[in-house]
mmCIF file of all heavy atoms in Angstrom:
data_model
loop_
_atom_site.group_PDB
_atom_site.id
_atom_site.type_symbol
_atom_site.label_atom_id
_atom_site.label_comp_id
_atom_site.label_asym_id
_atom_site.label_seq_id
_atom_site.Cartn_x
_atom_site.Cartn_y
_atom_site.Cartn_z
ATOM 1 N N ALA A 1 161.907 104.576 102.720
ATOM 2 C CA ALA A 1 160.749 105.367 103.173
ATOM 3 C C ALA A 1 160.406 105.022 104.623
ATOM 4 O O ALA A 1 160.088 105.905 105.428
ATOM 5 C CB ALA A 1 159.550 105.101 102.265
ATOM 6 N N ARG A 2 160.497 103.726 104.958
ATOM 7 C CA ARG A 2 160.223 103.283 106.333
ATOM 8 C C ARG A 2 161.251 103.868 107.294
ATOM 9 O O ARG A 2 160.909 104.330 108.383
ATOM 10 C CB ARG A 2 160.235 101.756 106.382
ATOM 11 C CG ARG A 2 159.685 101.156 107.673
ATOM 12 C CD ARG A 2 159.493 99.666 107.558
ATOM 13 N NE ARG A 2 160.745 98.937 107.434
ATOM 14 C CZ ARG A 2 161.132 98.293 106.326
ATOM 15 N NH1 ARG A 2 160.372 98.288 105.248
ATOM 16 N NH2 ARG A 2 162.283 97.649 106.281
ATOM 17 N N TRP A 3 162.520 103.874 106.874
ATOM 18 C CA TRP A 3 163.564 104.448 107.712
ATOM 19 C C TRP A 3 163.325 105.939 107.941
ATOM 20 O O TRP A 3 163.559 106.445 109.036
ATOM 21 C CB TRP A 3 164.937 104.251 107.069
ATOM 22 C CG TRP A 3 165.417 102.832 107.067
ATOM 23 C CD1 TRP A 3 164.850 101.762 107.697
ATOM 24 C CD2 TRP A 3 166.573 102.327 106.387
ATOM 25 N NE1 TRP A 3 165.573 100.616 107.447
ATOM 26 C CE2 TRP A 3 166.632 100.935 106.648
ATOM 27 C CE3 TRP A 3 167.542 102.893 105.584
ATOM 28 C CZ2 TRP A 3 167.639 100.120 106.132
ATOM 29 C CZ3 TRP A 3 168.546 102.088 105.064
ATOM 30 C CH2 TRP A 3 168.596 100.716 105.336
ATOM 31 N N SER A 4 162.872 106.639 106.883
ATOM 32 C CA SER A 4 162.622 108.086 107.010
ATOM 33 C C SER A 4 161.573 108.373 108.075
ATOM 34 O O SER A 4 161.634 109.387 108.766
ATOM 35 C CB SER A 4 162.166 108.665 105.673
ATOM 36 O OG SER A 4 163.198 108.566 104.724
ATOM 37 N N LYS A 5 160.596 107.477 108.190
ATOM 38 C CA LYS A 5 159.550 107.652 109.217
ATOM 39 C C LYS A 5 160.046 107.214 110.593
ATOM 40 O O LYS A 5 159.773 107.857 111.600
ATOM 41 C CB LYS A 5 158.312 106.835 108.843
ATOM 42 C CG LYS A 5 157.533 107.436 107.680
ATOM 43 C CD LYS A 5 156.331 106.591 107.332
ATOM 44 C CE LYS A 5 155.625 107.168 106.106
ATOM 45 N NZ LYS A 5 154.661 106.226 105.540
ATOM 46 N N GLN A 6 160.783 106.108 110.604
ATOM 47 C CA GLN A 6 161.247 105.532 111.882
ATOM 48 C C GLN A 6 162.385 106.337 112.495
ATOM 49 O O GLN A 6 162.490 106.452 113.715
ATOM 50 C CB GLN A 6 161.696 104.088 111.629
ATOM 51 C CG GLN A 6 161.985 103.300 112.894
ATOM 52 C CD GLN A 6 162.378 101.854 112.562
ATOM 53 O OE1 GLN A 6 162.246 101.398 111.428
ATOM 54 N NE2 GLN A 6 162.881 101.143 113.554
ATOM 55 N N PHE A 7 163.245 106.887 111.630
ATOM 56 C CA PHE A 7 164.430 107.629 112.106
ATOM 57 C C PHE A 7 164.369 109.055 111.558
ATOM 58 O O PHE A 7 164.701 109.275 110.381
ATOM 59 C CB PHE A 7 165.721 106.936 111.641
ATOM 60 C CG PHE A 7 165.806 105.480 112.007
ATOM 61 C CD1 PHE A 7 165.631 104.488 111.047
ATOM 62 C CD2 PHE A 7 166.061 105.091 113.318
ATOM 63 C CE1 PHE A 7 165.715 103.144 111.377
ATOM 64 C CE2 PHE A 7 166.150 103.744 113.661
ATOM 65 C CZ PHE A 7 165.961 102.769 112.695
ATOM 66 N N PRO A 8 163.957 110.020 112.376
ATOM 67 C CA PRO A 8 163.817 111.398 111.899
ATOM 68 C C PRO A 8 165.132 112.007 111.396
ATOM 69 O O PRO A 8 165.116 113.002 110.682
ATOM 70 C CB PRO A 8 163.325 112.162 113.142
ATOM 71 C CG PRO A 8 162.854 111.121 114.097
ATOM 72 C CD PRO A 8 163.609 109.876 113.785
ATOM 73 N N ASN A 9 166.264 111.392 111.761
ATOM 74 C CA ASN A 9 167.571 111.916 111.343
ATOM 75 C C ASN A 9 168.011 111.401 109.973
ATOM 76 O O ASN A 9 169.081 111.754 109.490
ATOM 77 C CB ASN A 9 168.650 111.573 112.381
ATOM 78 C CG ASN A 9 168.769 110.082 112.658
ATOM 79 O OD1 ASN A 9 167.756 109.385 112.745
ATOM 80 N ND2 ASN A 9 169.976 109.580 112.820
ATOM 81 N N PHE A 10 167.162 110.571 109.293
ATOM 82 C CA PHE A 10 167.551 109.999 107.996
ATOM 83 C C PHE A 10 166.807 110.668 106.839
ATOM 84 O O PHE A 10 165.594 110.842 106.896
ATOM 85 C CB PHE A 10 167.272 108.491 107.975
ATOM 86 C CG PHE A 10 167.499 107.866 106.617
ATOM 87 C CD1 PHE A 10 168.782 107.778 106.084
ATOM 88 C CD2 PHE A 10 166.432 107.381 105.864
ATOM 89 C CE1 PHE A 10 168.991 107.221 104.824
ATOM 90 C CE2 PHE A 10 166.633 106.816 104.611
ATOM 91 C CZ PHE A 10 167.917 106.732 104.092
ATOM 92 N N GLN A 11 167.553 111.016 105.787
ATOM 93 C CA GLN A 11 166.970 111.568 104.557
ATOM 94 C C GLN A 11 167.514 110.834 103.351
ATOM 95 O O GLN A 11 168.688 110.439 103.336
ATOM 96 C CB GLN A 11 167.328 113.049 104.411
ATOM 97 C CG GLN A 11 166.603 113.998 105.318
ATOM 98 C CD GLN A 11 166.947 115.435 104.960
ATOM 99 O OE1 GLN A 11 166.863 115.861 103.814
ATOM 100 N NE2 GLN A 11 167.376 116.188 105.962
ATOM 101 N N PHE A 12 166.677 110.683 102.324
ATOM 102 C CA PHE A 12 167.068 109.973 101.102
ATOM 103 C C PHE A 12 166.788 110.860 99.893
ATOM 104 O O PHE A 12 165.685 111.368 99.735
ATOM 105 C CB PHE A 12 166.273 108.660 101.012
ATOM 106 C CG PHE A 12 166.439 107.917 99.712
ATOM 107 C CD1 PHE A 12 167.689 107.766 99.117
ATOM 108 C CD2 PHE A 12 165.340 107.347 99.084
ATOM 109 C CE1 PHE A 12 167.836 107.074 97.925
ATOM 110 C CE2 PHE A 12 165.478 106.642 97.890
ATOM 111 C CZ PHE A 12 166.729 106.514 97.316
ATOM 112 N N HIS A 13 167.829 111.034 99.046
ATOM 113 C CA HIS A 13 167.682 111.829 97.820
ATOM 114 C C HIS A 13 168.066 110.970 96.607
ATOM 115 O O HIS A 13 169.248 110.916 96.235
ATOM 116 C CB HIS A 13 168.571 113.073 97.866
ATOM 117 C CG HIS A 13 168.205 114.040 98.940
ATOM 118 N ND1 HIS A 13 167.028 114.753 98.939
ATOM 119 C CD2 HIS A 13 168.869 114.410 100.062
ATOM 120 C CE1 HIS A 13 166.985 115.527 100.018
ATOM 121 N NE2 HIS A 13 168.077 115.325 100.718
ATOM 122 N N PRO A 14 167.081 110.296 95.975
ATOM 123 C CA PRO A 14 167.396 109.597 94.724
ATOM 124 C C PRO A 14 167.557 110.621 93.601
ATOM 125 O O PRO A 14 166.801 111.598 93.523
ATOM 126 C CB PRO A 14 166.163 108.713 94.500
ATOM 127 C CG PRO A 14 165.054 109.409 95.210
ATOM 128 C CD PRO A 14 165.663 110.180 96.341
ATOM 129 N N THR A 15 168.552 110.411 92.743
ATOM 130 C CA THR A 15 168.844 111.356 91.663
ATOM 131 C C THR A 15 168.910 110.595 90.343
ATOM 132 O O THR A 15 169.664 109.624 90.236
ATOM 133 C CB THR A 15 170.201 112.046 91.929
ATOM 134 O OG1 THR A 15 170.193 112.585 93.244
ATOM 135 C CG2 THR A 15 170.460 113.153 90.944
ATOM 136 N N LEU A 16 168.121 111.021 89.361
ATOM 137 C CA LEU A 16 168.057 110.308 88.086
ATOM 138 C C LEU A 16 168.633 111.151 86.955
ATOM 139 O O LEU A 16 168.249 112.304 86.764
ATOM 140 C CB LEU A 16 166.603 109.944 87.751
ATOM 141 C CG LEU A 16 165.864 109.057 88.763
ATOM 142 C CD1 LEU A 16 164.460 108.754 88.267
ATOM 143 C CD2 LEU A 16 166.629 107.759 89.029
ATOM 144 N N SER A 17 169.562 110.553 86.200
ATOM 145 C CA SER A 17 170.184 111.285 85.091
ATOM 146 C C SER A 17 169.322 111.235 83.832
ATOM 147 O O SER A 17 169.470 112.080 82.948
ATOM 148 C CB SER A 17 171.575 110.727 84.800
ATOM 149 O OG SER A 17 171.511 109.369 84.437
ATOM 150 N N GLN A 18 168.433 110.229 83.743
ATOM 151 C CA GLN A 18 167.513 110.152 82.597
ATOM 152 C C GLN A 18 166.087 110.015 83.126
ATOM 153 O O GLN A 18 165.405 109.020 82.892
ATOM 154 C CB GLN A 18 167.900 108.982 81.686
ATOM 155 C CG GLN A 18 169.273 109.166 81.047
ATOM 156 C CD GLN A 18 169.699 107.987 80.203
ATOM 157 O OE1 GLN A 18 168.884 107.222 79.696
ATOM 158 N NE2 GLN A 18 171.010 107.813 80.046
ATOM 159 N N ALA A 19 165.678 111.033 83.866
ATOM 160 C CA ALA A 19 164.380 110.986 84.555
ATOM 161 C C ALA A 19 163.224 111.194 83.571
ATOM 162 O O ALA A 19 163.335 111.940 82.601
ATOM 163 C CB ALA A 19 164.337 112.064 85.633
ATOM 164 N N GLU A 20 162.102 110.508 83.875
ATOM 165 C CA GLU A 20 160.886 110.719 83.106
ATOM 166 C C GLU A 20 160.313 112.094 83.460
ATOM 167 O O GLU A 20 160.674 112.699 84.467
ATOM 168 C CB GLU A 20 159.854 109.621 83.436
ATOM 169 C CG GLU A 20 160.212 108.240 82.901
ATOM 170 C CD GLU A 20 161.326 107.533 83.678
ATOM 171 O OE1 GLU A 20 161.722 108.049 84.748
ATOM 172 O OE2 GLU A 20 161.797 106.489 83.218
ATOM 173 N N LYS A 21 159.386 112.581 82.618
ATOM 174 C CA LYS A 21 158.827 113.921 82.799
ATOM 175 C C LYS A 21 158.196 114.121 84.165
ATOM 176 O O LYS A 21 158.301 115.173 84.785
ATOM 177 C CB LYS A 21 157.785 114.195 81.709
ATOM 178 C CG LYS A 21 158.105 115.444 80.885
ATOM 179 C CD LYS A 21 156.992 115.805 79.936
ATOM 180 C CE LYS A 21 156.907 114.788 78.796
ATOM 181 N NZ LYS A 21 155.878 115.200 77.799
ATOM 182 N N GLU A 22 157.520 113.063 84.671
ATOM 183 C CA GLU A 22 156.780 113.193 85.932
ATOM 184 C C GLU A 22 157.663 113.115 87.181
ATOM 185 O O GLU A 22 157.189 113.304 88.296
ATOM 186 C CB GLU A 22 155.662 112.146 86.014
ATOM 187 C CG GLU A 22 156.107 110.690 85.941
ATOM 188 C CD GLU A 22 156.222 110.164 84.514
ATOM 189 O OE1 GLU A 22 156.309 110.970 83.570
ATOM 190 O OE2 GLU A 22 156.249 108.931 84.354
ATOM 191 N N TRP A 23 158.953 112.829 87.005
ATOM 192 C CA TRP A 23 159.866 112.720 88.150
ATOM 193 C C TRP A 23 160.000 114.086 88.820
ATOM 194 O O TRP A 23 160.387 115.061 88.188
ATOM 195 C CB TRP A 23 161.225 112.221 87.681
ATOM 196 C CG TRP A 23 162.240 112.041 88.782
ATOM 197 C CD1 TRP A 23 163.295 112.862 89.052
ATOM 198 C CD2 TRP A 23 162.305 110.988 89.745
ATOM 199 N NE1 TRP A 23 164.018 112.381 90.125
ATOM 200 C CE2 TRP A 23 163.433 111.226 90.571
ATOM 201 C CE3 TRP A 23 161.520 109.855 89.986
ATOM 202 C CZ2 TRP A 23 163.801 110.383 91.613
ATOM 203 C CZ3 TRP A 23 161.884 109.012 91.023
ATOM 204 C CH2 TRP A 23 163.000 109.273 91.828
ATOM 205 N N SER A 24 159.710 114.145 90.123
ATOM 206 C CA SER A 24 159.673 115.447 90.804
ATOM 207 C C SER A 24 160.875 115.692 91.723
ATOM 208 O O SER A 24 160.972 116.756 92.328
ATOM 209 C CB SER A 24 158.379 115.551 91.633
ATOM 210 O OG SER A 24 158.336 114.515 92.601
ATOM 211 N N LEU A 25 161.767 114.698 91.829
ATOM 212 C CA LEU A 25 162.910 114.847 92.736
ATOM 213 C C LEU A 25 164.159 115.266 91.951
ATOM 214 O O LEU A 25 164.040 115.778 90.848
ATOM 215 C CB LEU A 25 163.115 113.539 93.508
ATOM 216 C CG LEU A 25 161.884 113.086 94.311
ATOM 217 C CD1 LEU A 25 162.113 111.711 94.927
ATOM 218 C CD2 LEU A 25 161.524 114.103 95.391
ATOM 219 N N CYS A 26 165.338 115.041 92.513
ATOM 220 C CA CYS A 26 166.579 115.508 91.880
ATOM 221 C C CYS A 26 166.774 114.903 90.487
ATOM 222 O O CYS A 26 166.580 113.699 90.291
ATOM 223 C CB CYS A 26 167.778 115.135 92.751
ATOM 224 S SG CYS A 26 168.079 116.292 94.097
ATOM 225 N N ARG A 27 167.177 115.757 89.547
ATOM 226 C CA ARG A 27 167.481 115.322 88.184
ATOM 227 C C ARG A 27 168.949 115.551 87.887
ATOM 228 O O ARG A 27 169.580 116.408 88.492
ATOM 229 C CB ARG A 27 166.655 116.127 87.174
ATOM 230 C CG ARG A 27 165.189 115.811 87.186
ATOM 231 C CD ARG A 27 164.417 116.786 86.300
ATOM 232 N NE ARG A 27 163.032 116.342 86.199
ATOM 233 C CZ ARG A 27 162.576 115.553 85.232
ATOM 234 N NH1 ARG A 27 163.386 115.149 84.281
ATOM 235 N NH2 ARG A 27 161.317 115.174 85.213
ATOM 236 N N GLY A 28 169.459 114.781 86.916
ATOM 237 C CA GLY A 28 170.867 114.911 86.551
ATOM 238 C C GLY A 28 171.715 113.923 87.323
ATOM 239 O O GLY A 28 171.244 112.864 87.734
ATOM 240 N N ARG A 29 172.954 114.274 87.532
ATOM 241 C CA ARG A 29 173.867 113.409 88.272
ATOM 242 C C ARG A 29 173.853 113.803 89.752
ATOM 243 O O ARG A 29 173.351 114.869 90.102
ATOM 244 C CB ARG A 29 175.282 113.521 87.694
ATOM 245 C CG ARG A 29 175.328 113.120 86.228
ATOM 246 C CD ARG A 29 176.746 113.097 85.699
ATOM 247 N NE ARG A 29 176.759 112.742 84.286
ATOM 248 C CZ ARG A 29 176.717 111.502 83.811
ATOM 249 N NH1 ARG A 29 176.653 110.477 84.657
ATOM 250 N NH2 ARG A 29 176.738 111.259 82.524
ATOM 251 N N VAL A 30 174.410 112.951 90.607
ATOM 252 C CA VAL A 30 174.435 113.294 92.036
ATOM 253 C C VAL A 30 175.167 114.610 92.265
ATOM 254 O O VAL A 30 174.854 115.355 93.199
ATOM 255 C CB VAL A 30 175.077 112.180 92.908
ATOM 256 C CG1 VAL A 30 174.146 111.028 93.096
ATOM 257 C CG2 VAL A 30 176.406 111.731 92.355
#
């Protein structure tokens, strides 16, 4: 998260294959 703010060219996409209901980002496999 710090890198995302410090370096505008960096993005992070965590992906969960067994995500909880409230997980709002990528679901499934990469």
Side-chain angles (χ1 to χ4, degrees):
R2 192 170 67 248
W3 290 352
S4 295
K5 287 179 184 166
Q6 189 178 349
F7 306 106
N9 57 319
F10 173 68
Q11 286 186 51
F12 172 44
H13 296 293
T15 308
L16 301 182
S17 60
Q18 296 177 25
E20 289 75 9
K21 237 187 289 184
E22 60 273 19
W23 181 255
S24 60
L25 303 174
C26 277
R27 290 172 173 267
R29 300 186 181 277
V30 284

